[in-house]
Every structure is written in C-alpha cells, then in structure tokens.
Amino acid sequence: MENTAAGASSKPPTPASTPNSRLSSGAPSSRQSATPSHASATASAPTPASRTVYSDRFIPSRTGSNLALFDLAPSPSSSHDAAASGPNAASSGSAAPTSPYCALLRAALFGPDTPGRVASSATACSSSSSPGASAVGTPATGNIFRFKAEVPRNAKRALFSGEDEEDALFPGIFTTRGAGQRKIARSPYKVLDAPALQDDFYLNLVDWSSHNVLAVGLGNCVYLWNACSSKVTKLCDLGVDDNVCSVGWAQRGTHLAVGTNQGKVQIWDATRCKRIRTMESHRMRVGALAWSSSLLSSGSRDKSILHHDIRAHEDYVSKLTGHKSEVCGLKWSYDNRQLASGGNDNRLFVWNPHSVQPVLKYTEHTAAVKAIAWSPHLHGLLASGGGTADRCIRFWNTTTNTHLSCVDTGSQVCNLVWSKNVNELVSTHGYSQNQIIVWRYPTMSKLTTLTGHTYRVLYLAISPDGQTIVTGAGDETLRFWNVFPSPKSQSSDSLSCIGGTSFVRSYIR
C-alpha cells in the first residue's frame, strides 16, 4: 500500500487522481496504460510552489490489488475498464479457459471450486498471464511464492499423495499431518492366494514367527511361507477327518502349535517339519493358542483353557474355568505375568500364572470377544474388541482394574495388534465394511483406513520387525501392508526381507 508518492491530503482523492499518484511511484499498471491520453493530460504533477499537507488519515490505494484471485468478484466499472484495456481484450470476448496449473493452484489455495469461484479465478489467471497485466499480477505472484515457502516440509512431500480425506486440509494436495507423520500406503504390496482359508470368526489361522516365517492353516493342512525367500513348505496334513482351527508360534520361532477340530493340540518342529507331541485333553475344537516361554495355553469350544508345559509328561498342568461359552481369544502379556481370554459369552477375563479362576472379570462387551492385544509400551494396558452386536474397542488398566475408554468402530472387531515401534495399534473388521484401521493411541484418531478384502478380515499377524502386517479373510487371500515405521534403534539390515512397494500376487500353495 502506497500513500506518499503524491502526498496524503485532508481530502479523499478523486477517482481521476488515484492512477496518477500510482504513476509517480515509477511502477505503471495495465489499467493506467489503457487510460486515454486526453485524460492523462487533465491531471498533472503538483507545482513546486504547492505545499504537501499531511494528516492522520490513512487512505490505502487498492489499484494494484488482484481482488479476483482472492475470490472477490470485480466491480462492473473495473470489468468495463478491463474490456477497454486493449485490442486483445476486445477480440477475446470472454475469460480464457483455466489451465491445469491454475486449477490446481486455485484448489490448493482456496479449496474446492464453486461456480462463482471458477469464473473469477479463471479471470485472475488469464489476466496475470497476459503481457499487459504484469504489474497487477506481481503482488499476487509474490503472495503465492511466499505461501509456498511457508508450507511445512512434510506437506510438500505429501503433494499428490492421496491421503485420507479426513486428514487432508486440501484433498489430494496438502495434508495437515505434523512433522512426525508418515505416509501409509493404502494398497497392499503383496497378495497371496490362500485357497480354503475358512471364513470363521472364532478361529485363529495365521501367525508370524520371530524367524520371519508365516504359518497358515488351510483346510486340513498347515503351510509355512518364508518371507525372505517366498518359499512355501507344507508342514502337516491332518487327514480328511480333521481340520486346522488355530496356529501359534513359540517365542523362539522354531516350534509351532496346531489346534485341531477334534480337540487335539500338536507341537511341530518347524525346522525339521516333524511332529514332536500330540495332546488330546480338550473335548471340542481348539480355536485359540498362546505361548508363554515353555508354557502353551489353549482355549477350546468346551469352555476351558488348558496350560500345557511341553517339558512335562502330562498333557496339561492346570485347567482354567470361568467362561460359559467357546474361548476364541487368548493372549499372554509381554512380561508373561497375565493371560487375557475372551469368549463367545461376551466376557473378558484376566488370569495370573497360578490361578484357576479369573482374577479380573470385564462384562462391558455385548458380543463375542476375540480381539485382544496387550500394549508393549505400558504395563497392564489391555485392548479388547467386540463382535457384530458390540463393535467397540475398549481399553483397560489391569494394574488398577479400571476401564479407561471405549471407541465405537461401527463394525465387527475381529483382531487387534499393537505396534512394537510406536504407540499405535491396528484393528481389522468384519460386517459391514471389512476394513483395516490404524489408530494413534491414546487419542484414538484414525491414521488411515485400508480396504481391499471382500470378506470379513478375520486374521491378523505382525512381522517380527514390527513394520508389516498380514491380513486374511474369507475371500481366500492374504494381504501384506506396510503400516508402521521401523524402530529407531533398528539397523539397515532389517530382520524382515519382505518390505517393498511393488505389488506381487502369488499362491500360498
């Protein structure tokens, strides 16, 4: 804004004097060049004898402002002046069509188009690109480049990233994510076809070992897929009279437990593909398995939980009773001091290693509790998810026996897993959206929602390096997603060999 070239007076300048005051600054404008010569002669510079009178009234000059760029429609008078600005304007008739660059820039600066905004912004872009409008376009151009320089670095990197709509300030352009945010690919980078992967909410047929080997139960067989070499090995075949209901890796990654439909629990040496033990203590199918060092816990449809010590001769060393229906969720805490169990009776129980009755009972869920996850970051923090009639993820402090919070996800919660590297967790869902959601804890804000499965996402496992998850569904596919960052202390020689961005589709058998 300039007001010192011709001097500020106690009287507002007339419309004819304003352009001449701009001319005295030495920066001609396109509007001034369009003024007839006889009009310019009527106003002359003040004589040396005249005295400049100053006052405390500030009268800005908006002649050089490109108001159309800021969605302020030009007045009829200014439109008339623009039409008379030269022979080119008379021949053009209407505003020039908006270029892709102008459309993109307009969307980034001002958001989605409206009918009025399209017309005014198109005029602004076309006028600023014309030869006679350089002086008018200069202030606007300066603002644009200054705005671009002030955009956070992560927002520049997110240009055209296509992140979630709820996280985008300008959809498809810039995201509002902070400096610590990251981009999460919304498509799986690998898909494995898994024929005969059962669509049964109460089973647990996928697990990932610490040696980076994925175990999958398909029908009456168990297959091992090496994530480094993509080699597939058939571990066992239960025969036509039995089916696999659950698989679970021991912490060392060398032994795999297999629960069957006939109530058997088998222990297999995965390195030699040899069965080393079979325990037949359950009367019905075994749908949940959880390891704690050399102790293996199994949950069954017979409503019981059995502790098997693989070093002892007995089939089981203790029996836990309390559930009134099938046990479908079973997880030991990271310190091996607490066991959480969920059942089709809508109950969530917490046990200690020496109890035969639950030490904590939670009855807030209104549907089956299969999804259970212990936090690796905070001792005693437990997350649980309910089925179709519940749809909620609840958080518990088992140290103080308190219910911390509840989030309604809108669909059946099938699985939960906590990130080892950051304070985030993933949930997979069934009816009716079949989605995968990455949450930030404790705010429980959605980082992203992943879709692709056409059936309920019933199975979930996380890679040993904590960066990748694999999901399985009744659509008989296993999908691999990169969702979590690497740990800060992790070296470049990551344990996982499967990370990547190229899409691959192959068969598990």
Side-chain angles (χ1 to χ4, degrees), residues 4-83:
T4 58
S9 65
S10 60
K11 182 178 180 181
T14 62
S17 64
T18 303
N20 289 283
S21 65
R22 295 285 297 175
L23 284 172
S24 65
S25 65
S29 66
S30 61
R31 181 174 178 178
Q32 293 150 7
S33 63
T35 307
S37 59
H38 65 82
S40 302
T42 59
S44 60
T47 62
S50 63
R51 181 182 178 185
T52 302
V53 179
Y54 297 94
S55 69
D56 59 352
R57 184 178 180 185
F58 179 76
I59 304 175
S61 174
R62 303 187 183 275
T63 311
S65 300
N66 193 348
L67 302 181
L69 183 61
F70 298 94
D71 200 19
L72 298 175
S75 62
S77 60
S78 61
S79 300
H80 174 74
D81 292 340

Side-chain angles (χ1 to χ4, degrees), residues 292-463:
S292 173
S293 187
S294 60
L295 188 68
L296 172 64
S297 302
S298 59
S300 171
R301 182 178 272 184
D302 63 12
K303 310 173 188 177
S304 67
I305 300 171
L306 299 181
H307 289 327
H308 313 270
D309 191 335
I310 60 175
R311 302 168 299 180
H313 293 289
E314 298 83 3
D315 275 358
Y316 64 95
V317 293
S318 62
K319 182 177 182 179
L320 313 183
T321 57
H323 284 286
K324 304 300 182 184
S325 188
E326 180 175 9
V327 179
C328 52
L330 211 56
K331 289 290 174 63
W332 279 98
S333 62
Y334 283 88
D335 58 7
N336 294 328
R337 295 183 178 181
Q338 292 179 310
L339 174 68
S341 66
N344 198 24
D345 55 1
N346 309 343
R347 304 295 179 90
L348 174 67
F349 293 157
V350 178
W351 319 72
N352 65 42
H354 310 291
S355 65
V356 294
Q357 293 293 325
V359 294
L360 298 175
K361 298 181 180 181
Y362 301 118
T363 60
E364 281 78 359
H365 283 292
T366 57
V369 181
K370 177 194 176 185
I372 299 173
W374 291 94
S375 170
H377 310 290
L378 185 62
H379 173 71
L381 178 58
L382 176 65
S384 60
T388 307
D390 183 82
R391 306 181 305 275
C392 292
I393 300 176
R394 297 180 181 271
F395 295 90
W396 319 86
N397 186 334
T398 60
T399 303
T400 59
N401 191 20
T402 54
H403 180 204
L404 300 176
S405 61
C406 175
V407 177
D408 189 343
T409 66
S411 57
Q412 179 187 42
V413 184
C414 301
N415 293 278
L416 290 169
V417 67
W418 222 294
S419 169
K420 307 171 185 178
N421 306 332
V422 289
N423 200 14
E424 299 169 5
L425 68 159
V426 169
S427 60
T428 68
H429 300 268
Y431 305 123
S432 59
Q433 302 177 44
N434 306 324
Q435 78 273 37
I436 304 161
I437 304 178
V438 183
W439 308 84
R440 179 188 292 110
Y441 187 82
T443 61
M444 290 305 289
S445 56
K446 293 183 182 180
L447 295 180
T448 190
T449 299
L450 309 175
T451 56
H453 284 291
T454 56
Y455 281 66
R456 299 180 293 175
V457 189
L458 298 178
Y459 311 111
L460 172 66
I462 190 169
S463 63

Side-chain angles (χ1 to χ4, degrees), residues 220-301:
N220 54 9
C221 300
V222 175
Y223 292 85
L224 305 180
W225 181 78
N226 190 302
C228 290
S229 63
S230 295
K231 179 182 178 181
V232 178
T233 304
K234 184 177 180 180
L235 179 66
C236 67
D237 188 336
L238 302 181
V240 295
D241 298 329
D242 208 351
N243 285 310
V244 180
C245 294
S246 57
V247 294
W249 285 103
Q251 280 88 342
R252 293 184 179 181
T254 56
H255 290 78
L256 180 72
V258 179
T260 77
N261 191 58
Q262 293 184 356
K264 300 177 182 178
V265 177
Q266 299 181 356
I267 309 296
W268 285 79
D269 185 340
T271 58
R272 298 182 297 166
C273 291
K274 181 180 180 180
R275 185 179 63 191
I276 61 177
R277 188 165 185 180
T278 300
M279 296 164 282
E280 304 182 7
S281 303
H282 286 291
R283 303 188 308 273
M284 303 180 74
R285 71 179 186 182
V286 179
L289 296 168
W291 285 88
S292 173
S293 187
S294 60
L295 188 68
L296 172 64
S297 302
S298 59
S300 171
R301 182 178 272 184

Side-chain angles (χ1 to χ4, degrees), residues 99-293:
S99 67
Y101 172 77
C102 288
L104 181 63
L105 185 60
R106 181 177 65 251
L109 294 176
F110 304 112
D113 285 332
T114 59
R117 178 175 293 170
V118 171
S120 62
S121 299
T123 303
C125 287
S126 61
S127 63
S128 62
S129 60
S130 62
S134 59
V136 178
T138 300
T141 303
N143 288 336
I144 292 172
F145 282 106
R146 184 162 58 250
F147 175 82
K148 184 176 181 180
E150 294 170 355
V151 174
R153 291 183 178 180
N154 69 296
K156 292 181 181 179
R157 291 197 301 268
L159 190 65
F160 313 117
S161 61
E163 296 292 336
D164 286 348
E165 289 77 10
E166 62 267 26
D167 294 334
L169 179 59
F170 305 114
I173 309 298
F174 300 108
T175 64
T176 58
R177 303 190 170 189
Q181 296 300 330
R182 67 189 183 280
K183 179 180 177 180
I184 300 176
R186 300 185 64 182
S187 299
Y189 66 87
K190 183 184 291 291
V191 175
L192 296 179
D193 287 325
L197 186 62
Q198 297 188 56
D199 183 27
D200 192 326
F201 177 81
Y202 302 100
L203 306 185
N204 294 274
L205 298 175
V206 177
D207 199 19
W208 209 328
S209 78
S210 59
H211 286 182
N212 212 11
V213 177
L214 190 70
V216 185
L218 300 178
N220 54 9
C221 300
V222 175
Y223 292 85
L224 305 180
W225 181 78
N226 190 302
C228 290
S229 63
S230 295
K231 179 182 178 181
V232 178
T233 304
K234 184 177 180 180
L235 179 66
C236 67
D237 188 336
L238 302 181
V240 295
D241 298 329
D242 208 351
N243 285 310
V244 180
C245 294
S246 57
V247 294
W249 285 103
Q251 280 88 342
R252 293 184 179 181
T254 56
H255 290 78
L256 180 72
V258 179
T260 77
N261 191 58
Q262 293 184 356
K264 300 177 182 178
V265 177
Q266 299 181 356
I267 309 296
W268 285 79
D269 185 340
T271 58
R272 298 182 297 166
C273 291
K274 181 180 180 180
R275 185 179 63 191
I276 61 177
R277 188 165 185 180
T278 300
M279 296 164 282
E280 304 182 7
S281 303
H282 286 291
R283 303 188 308 273
M284 303 180 74
R285 71 179 186 182
V286 179
L289 296 168
W291 285 88
S292 173
S293 187

